[in-house]
Amino acid sequence: MSPTLRTPLCEQLGIDVPILQAGMGNVAYGRLAAAVSNAGGLGSIGGIDITPEQVDEEIRLFRELSDGPLCVDLGFPANAPKGLSDVDVPELPGPLRQLKAELDERGIEVTATTDQAISLADNKKKLEISLDHGVEVIACALGTPAWVVEACHARGAKVISIVGQAKHARSAIRNGTDVVVVQGTEGGGHTGDVGLITLLAEVLEFSTVPVVAAGGLVKGAQIAACLTMGAQGAWVGTRFLASEESGSEDVFKQAVVEAEYDSTLRSLLFDGLHVRMLRNRFTEVWEGHEDELSPYPVQRVLTMPFKYAAMKARLKTHMSMPSGAGAGMITDLPGAAEILERLVEETVEALRGVEKTVEFS
Ligand SMILES: Cc1cc2nc3c(=O)[nH]c(=O)nc-3n(C[C@H](O)[C@H](O)[C@H](O)COP(=O)(O)O)c2cc1C
């Protein structure tokens, strides 16, 4: 018989096990989300990096593949541009001129992209589309404005907020979020600088809503530790990136499998906000040139054409590859359902194991 793992969060989100697959740009599409929701977790579509039309298509695909609940992950940073015309783009800085020369040498063209630098107009459209589809959960990355919570609650959707600092958890709770995802610095993608075990303890002291742990979680024993502390679930990214159904390029998945414990770094080079990613030539060109970084959103507008050109060419040395620090423990590329099953089994085993090693009364 397969093990049971439930917390009150399961009831709240309509899921069987408290494992949430994280929203990941260019990785988490309808197919991955459906595989996770069909296996009893919560599947998410990473809506930030794709167009409103693609968000619509991926939600439709999810609904064809699954009857389970769906989360769409969107971004509402406080300093988001209203639209791209708001952003004044300077000349290419030295590191990007260097990257351009290297891509040119390989015959790879760097062209304009559809990325809107997480613009407010773009994300509002995506939110409307998601709510029109009756999406059950909206995840807010990079800030949870009260108007987003109100819009979601008015349409019956729950809101989860991903935070990297205790003060951001406080403001998300004040603005009415239903769940707080506390992401430690170990996490892939946008991430803060506080370790998960510290941040989780801090937020659990005051949170009035369920708290979910994130950042570097690739083994059930880690999830068991977070549940023991008082978390009600786990938001897992990189482990699901390295799965059959993830939409990332095979070379990216392979890079995660090959990663070691020190293969990631946290840098502003991606978009002017701190992002954890795999080290490669795309990150190396910035070493010693930090003074040429622009703030968000300008840095994002500058780097996106490079990200997409390298991605299209499957050139992993020059691709942008966000990844959590747990990548060093990932050694295979199974199906998402198998990953979920393993995580549940390992979590239960670790929870049971405590009684064997710890005496308490
Ligand atoms: C490739 C990749 C892309 C990501 N893109 C997004 C995103 O678009 N929106 C978002 O809220 N978080 C994004 N994240 C962060 C995840 O939602 C999640 O918080 C993180 O992956 C958790 O840490 P872990 O990867 O160590 O499990 C991304 C993470 C990765 C690895």
Side-chain angles (χ1 to χ4, degrees):
M1 207 177 78
S2 50
T4 308
L5 182 70
R6 285 185 72 82
T7 66
L9 182 74
C10 295
E11 185 69 34
Q12 197 179 359
L13 299 181
I15 50 181
D16 299 331
V17 293
I19 296 179
L20 287 51
Q21 167 251 314
M24 291 177 281
N26 305 120
V27 172
Y29 297 112
R31 184 164 169 252
L32 174 61
V36 174
S37 283
N38 285 340
L42 180 69
S44 304
I45 292 172
I48 292 180
D49 295 69
I50 51 179
T51 62
E53 294 69 31
Q54 285 170 302
V55 170
D56 182 62
E57 281 166 26
E58 294 303 325
I59 297 173
R60 284 177 198 277
L61 175 63
F62 176 93
R63 295 292 193 217
E64 272 171 34
L65 299 174
S66 176
D67 294 327
L70 170 64
C71 169
V72 174
D73 178 88
L74 300 173
F76 301 97
N79 46 354
K82 286 204 187 67
L84 265 202
S85 54
D86 251 15
V87 186
D88 288 330
V89 188
E91 292 284 292
L92 279 189
L96 291 182
R97 287 202 303 276
Q98 174 65 32
L99 275 188
K100 179 150 181 6
E102 294 177 17
L103 293 175
D104 281 350
E105 259 172 40
R106 293 168 172 82
I108 299 168
E109 206 186 342
V110 181
T111 53
T113 72
T114 52
D115 187 272
Q116 298 296 301
I118 329 185
S119 93
L120 203 53
D122 200 47
N123 276 279
K124 272 185 175 169
K125 248 190 253 168
K126 294 172 189 177
L127 178 63
E128 272 314 304
I129 289 168
S130 303
L131 295 176
D132 284 348
H133 275 292
V135 161
E136 290 79 2
V137 184
I138 297 292
C140 291
L142 307 165
T144 306
W147 66 264
V148 173
V149 178
E150 280 159 27
C152 291
H153 287 173
R155 309 282 290 275
K158 297 264 191 292
V159 177
I160 67 184
S161 303
I162 302 135
V163 305
Q165 288 186 36
K167 70 176 181 192
H168 295 151
R170 283 187 199 280
S171 79
I173 294 167
R174 219 175 18 248
N175 287 348
T177 193
D178 298 291
V179 176
V180 171
V181 174
V182 163
Q183 171 155 322
T185 189
E186 302 92 325
H190 289 113
T191 202
D193 64 355
V194 186
L196 174 57
I197 201 162
T198 307
L199 188 60
L200 185 56
E202 202 177 351
V203 174
L204 281 165
E205 284 211 329
F206 63 79
S207 184
T208 50
V209 300
V211 176
V212 167
L217 301 177
V218 299
K219 298 277 184 193
Q222 297 169 290
I223 297 174
C226 296
L227 296 178
T228 307
M229 286 178 71
Q232 289 200 23
W235 170 260
V236 177
T238 305
R239 180 56 275 196
F240 284 111
L241 185 166
S243 72
E244 240 169 74
E245 295 89 347
S246 114
S248 49
E249 301 68 28
D250 287 344
V251 288
F252 187 178
K253 296 183 192 183
Q254 206 51 45
V256 170
V257 168
E258 287 161 12
E260 296 182 16
Y261 77 95
D262 59 351
S263 296
T264 68
L265 59 74
R266 182 173 161 272
S267 165
L268 293 166
L269 69 91
F270 177 73
D271 63 359
L273 306 170
H274 282 108
V275 164
R276 182 171 300 285
M277 58 207 305
L278 293 177
R279 294 172 197 277
N280 61 1
R281 187 67 188 141
F282 181 75
T283 65
E284 189 188 53
V285 287
W286 289 94
E287 284 171 22
H289 294 275
E290 290 76 9
D291 57 332
E292 294 187 67
L293 287 164
S294 295
Y296 165 81
V298 176
Q299 182 73 11
R300 185 169 178 114
V301 178
L302 284 169
T303 63
M304 281 303 124
F306 292 85
K307 163 181 157 168
Y308 283 100
M311 230 169 92
K312 202 168 150 205
R314 308 284 191 266
L315 185 63
K316 79 173 174 188
T317 45
H318 290 62
M319 278 166 55
S320 144
M321 298 191 286
S323 166
M329 287 189 280
I330 294 175
T331 56
D332 56 4
L333 299 169
E338 187 180 334
I339 291 176
L340 195 84
E341 253 169 55
R342 274 192 213 166
L343 290 176
V344 170
E345 273 170 23
E346 290 168 4
T347 305
V348 171
E349 197 183 315
L351 289 170
R352 286 201 183 114
V354 172
E355 292 189 350
K356 291 187 201 137
T357 49
V358 186
E359 278 179 40
F360 54 93
S361 60

